[in-house]
Amino acid sequence: MTEPSDAPSFRLSYVPGVTPGKWARIWGERRPHDPLELVPATTGEAVELVRTGAVDAGLVRLPIDRTGLHAIPLYTETTVAVVGKEHLLTAVEEAAVEDLADELVLHPQDDTLDWPDGRPGRPADITPATTAEAVELVAAGVGVLLVPQSLARLHHRRDLTYRPLTDAPTSGVVLTWPDAENSDLMEEFIGIVRGRTVNSTRTPRREGAPASGGPAPANKKAVRNRPARRGTRRR
């Protein structure tokens, strides 16, 4: 029998705001002896890690360069405007892009929103490097920030709030992995994110897995958070 310490691991990168916890829990139930390593990264870093083989797959936001990659759509996020608690936008439950025409809009360098008709509002002289830095500027009264709703929640502050933008581009989250023959572990994770049961013909059955699809005893060591590691992983 293969010892847990000798079992291959599945490395999954994920971008800020994306929460892989549900899928990680199911993985732990189905693959208690195959560790799932979670690697936080930006979208650009996550795609590079997938391309170089440093991770097996990534949970990223579109748009990305899909050359040589598979991509399964998972869900779509609403775009929101992050503003101070005293901002005029807080008088409404939701807003439109035209409501930001006179606003100073911050566009951090890690912004992945795709604005086909150009970004709304007046561009700020400051270009923050990250969303976190942009949030700090909004709190200082510098401008407003447009981000996927999950990022607004991730960077929540008591002095800030957000409002959905009804006509803004949305943000799609996908699972991406190399366009090559899938490993057994890759097929397992694809099955998990697609909602396949243990009994599905395309979901590999593992020794000791419950035939009914019910949870197996979870291994607390099955999921580990590790920093991004570049380069090709050892097979």
Side-chain angles (χ1 to χ4, degrees), residues 94-161:
E94 55 186 26
V97 171
E98 65 179 14
D99 296 327
L100 305 174
D102 297 326
E103 296 288 345
L104 195 67
V105 179
L106 298 168
H107 299 291
Q109 295 176 22
D110 59 0
D111 178 18
T112 61
L113 289 173
D114 186 14
W115 297 91
D117 298 325
R119 293 175 173 177
R122 296 183 293 115
D125 294 332
I126 303 172
T127 303
T130 64
T131 297
E133 291 181 17
V135 169
E136 292 292 334
L137 291 172
V138 174
V142 173
V144 302
L145 173 64
L146 310 183
V147 292
Q149 186 169 323
S150 68
L151 285 179
R153 290 173 175 171
L154 178 66
H155 296 285
H156 171 72
R157 292 174 50 126
R158 290 186 177 181
D159 53 348
L160 299 180
T161 187

Side-chain angles (χ1 to χ4, degrees), residues 10 51 67 110 113 150 173 186 191:
F10 185 83
R51 289 191 187 282
T67 304
D110 59 0
L113 289 173
S150 68
V173 174
M186 189 67 240

Side-chain angles (χ1 to χ4, degrees), residues 144-204:
V144 302
L145 173 64
L146 310 183
V147 292
Q149 186 169 323
S150 68
L151 285 179
R153 290 173 175 171
L154 178 66
H155 296 285
H156 171 72
R157 292 174 50 126
R158 290 186 177 181
D159 53 348
L160 299 180
T161 187
Y162 61 84
R163 290 294 184 268
L165 295 177
T166 57
D167 55 348
T170 55
S171 179
V173 174
V174 301
L175 170 68
T176 186
W177 71 99
D179 184 5
E181 183 177 356
N182 293 340
S183 66
D184 181 51
L185 295 182
M186 189 67 240
E187 283 291 343
E188 183 75 77
F189 195 77
I190 292 171
I192 288 173
V193 300
R194 282 184 162 170
R196 296 178 193 153
T197 66
V198 174
N199 293 329
S200 170
T201 56
R202 296 189 64 183
T203 300

Side-chain angles (χ1 to χ4, degrees), residues 25-46:
R25 174 182 57 79
I26 296 173
W27 179 279
E29 294 170 353
R30 295 187 185 180
R31 293 270 187 169
H33 300 308
D34 296 322
L36 173 63
E37 301 180 18
L38 299 178
V39 182
T42 66
T43 292
E45 291 171 345

